[in-house]
Amino acid sequence: MADPSALLRARLAERAARVARLDGADAWVARARLAVAVGAVAMAVLVFGTHALHARWLALPAAAFLALVVVHDRVFHARDRARRAVAFHQAGLDRIEGRFAGHGTAGERFTDPAHPYAEDLDLFGPGSLFELLCAARTRAGEDRLAAWLRAPADAAEVRARQAAVRELAPRLDLREDLAVLGEDVRAAVDPARLAAWGEAPRLLPAFVVPAALALAAAAVATAWAWGAGYGPVPFLAALLATWAFGRALRDPIARVLGGAGRPAAELRVLSLLLARLEREPFGDPRLLRLQQMLGVQPKDGGRASARIARLERLAARAEWAHNQVFAPVAFALQWTPLHAALVERWRAAHGGAVRGWLEAVADLEALSSLAGYAFEHPADAFPEVVDPGAEPRALLDGDAVRHPLLAAAVANDVRLGGDAPAVLLVSGSNMSGKSTYLRTVGVNVVLALAGAPVRAARLRLTPVQLGATLRIQDSLQAGKSRFYAEITRLKQLMDLAGGRFPLLFLLDEILHGTNSHDRRIGAEAVVRGLVARGALGLVTTHDLALTELAGQDGALGNAHFEDQVQGGEIAFDYRLRPGVVGHSNALALMRAVGLRV
């Protein structure tokens, strides 16, 4: 694959040059409009002041001005798209170079303190994994990507996502096209409300369309009869019947048209995405299946974008009845009841498909987000996700694993399960990298089980349910200490260990909020209880007494991070080593900040 940075820079320069050309065109058209306006004023003086010209000459500057207005509008739209293309490529470079924090969609609405690992692994918020990944243009796409990060998938599902991501990764043109669509796509579409509108029961009976057409025909016929000399009485009777019909159905008609306005607008926005996705040639079975959900195989009314276009036209024509000039004609022709019934007919025929369209768009956008990440990080490996039956127990085995949110992260291996210990007790001095190691392992497992490549040379794993205690906080409002919050989370993890997938637990400074005696007993009970349920895990500790747990059997092993004092300063290499750490740096750190100890 070509160097993504070089490709993005080349395309960025090309799009920036296009913006500059369109800025020039904007200035040229603006000057031309001004010149035409001045010429029109001069011509008006000749026409009305000196009568040197006939008034019909004013049609020339008027036509020229209207033409320039149309051209100017096209220049504005083209420049907006070019500017969004510049922003798209710049965002890609920022992600590659680690400058993305605060510039993307951070997904704060998905933050949940009760989730077993989301906050611990910085999945959401500024500078988060979600912000690094997310390129979705709709709320449904954001929801789907967040769901994939918040819960593991089984091996078959992960492999299917990987295949789709591999096919989408090189399709930079597709991702650019999706990025430069109307700016209001994300804000405008509420997937839950839109799907509920499509599936709601009908409000108008089926006879409304033939009845409205019959009344409209009667009005036209009696108006013609009146003009032919048969008198106004039949026409007035037809109008009275029209009024009575509309009066009887006034409330349901108002609910239909009042309720259709926002869905029609939301679907119009969604159709921008659908139309682009419909014409992309896919070969992957999952992508083809999603494309078929959009109606790309002509059936049941054709493509989703074409069906939406019909609803747009109905909603737009229904608004004509509010025009004061057209309103009398609309009344006689049963315009409003007829279009309300046609909207209901559309909803009856296609409303049930709206949820499927949203589902397809959500999946395609989530896959496209992961594909963008894969394209921008070609050195990252796709993990091998193993079916649980292929291994005697849960497995996590990786080489040179690094944190995807840390540009200068040091690579370390991870070995859990299989022939390696199920649990690794990680000791080490302060600031040596223990917590970062847990986060590195955890966030790469999240990427792996979402279907993305991982920041590692190699990773092989069975599907696991993550759980962590890396960011446990006390709560003054809830009256919970840090220790109570931790043991509550540990109980949650114990329950998760009996779930669909084996648990991978990441316990940072386990039970450090209590005395060493209780910590030793409690930590051993928790860790061995989790192992007995088939869990894998990493446990960090400053308490070297806990490292003695590894000596009792092969299920637990020891590893450590260490530091060196060089020239009176503490240096870290952040390398994981086997065994137990041999010294502490707490006193040295205290002296380094000026404490006399």
Side-chain angles (χ1 to χ4, degrees), residues 49 85 127 195 204 242 266 312 358 437 443:
L204 288 174
T242 294
E266 291 181 336
E312 290 178 49
L358 291 166
Y437 179 63
V443 78

Side-chain angles (χ1 to χ4, degrees), residues 365-388:
E365 285 201 304
L367 291 168
S368 183
S369 293
L370 300 183
Y373 176 83
F375 168 79
E376 292 162 5
H377 302 87
D380 289 8
F382 277 93
E384 179 187 357
V385 183
V386 184
D387 290 302

Side-chain angles (χ1 to χ4, degrees), residues 405-448:
L405 301 179
L406 300 176
V410 174
N412 283 292
D413 298 341
V414 58
R415 305 274 187 270
L416 296 173
D419 296 330
V423 178
L424 205 58
L425 302 171
V426 184
S427 55
S429 53
N430 295 285
M431 300 172 59
S432 60
K434 301 187 304 298
S435 299
T436 300
Y437 179 63
L438 266 60
R439 288 190 172 92
T440 297
V441 171
V443 78
N444 277 286
V445 169
V446 169
L447 283 171

Side-chain angles (χ1 to χ4, degrees), residues 30-31 41 46 69 148 161 189 198 205 258 330 343 381 384 413 497 504 508 520 534 594 597:
R31 289 193 295 269
V41 171
L46 294 175
V69 167
W148 289 359
R161 292 178 193 172
V189 179
V343 167
E384 179 187 357
D413 298 341
L504 171 62
D508 192 32
R520 173 71 168 74
V597 295

Side-chain angles (χ1 to χ4, degrees), residues 112-199:
D112 178 10
H115 191 271
Y117 62 86
E119 288 196 351
D120 304 84
L121 301 180
D122 302 302
L123 294 193
F124 306 106
S128 65
L129 182 65
F130 187 84
E131 188 172 14
L132 174 65
L133 297 174
C134 185
R137 300 301 314 281
T138 69
R139 189 180 182 93
E142 292 177 0
D143 291 348
R144 185 56 46 83
L145 178 61
W148 289 359
L149 298 180
R150 286 161 52 94
D154 61 36
E157 171 64 14
V158 172
R159 288 193 289 266
R161 292 178 193 172
Q162 288 179 344
V165 169
R166 283 190 176 96
E167 178 167 329
L168 288 171
R171 302 196 181 204
L172 187 55
D173 287 337
L174 172 62
R175 290 194 295 279
E176 180 182 350
D177 288 347
L178 295 178
V180 302
L181 295 173
E183 290 191 66
D184 57 349
V185 172
R186 181 178 293 109
V189 179
D190 183 335
R193 181 177 58 209
L194 190 56
W197 171 82
E199 295 165 355

Side-chain angles (χ1 to χ4, degrees), residues 479-514:
K480 292 182 178 180
S481 68
R482 197 270 182 199
F483 179 74
Y484 186 82
E486 181 182 6
I487 61 175
T488 302
R489 173 62 62 82
L490 290 173
K491 175 60 169 65
Q492 181 186 12
L493 300 190
M494 192 68 73
D495 294 339
L496 287 173
R500 177 186 178 192
F501 298 115
L503 179 71
L504 171 62
F505 57 89
L506 309 171
L507 309 183
D508 192 32
E509 299 299 338
I510 183 171
L511 301 179
H512 82 285
T514 188

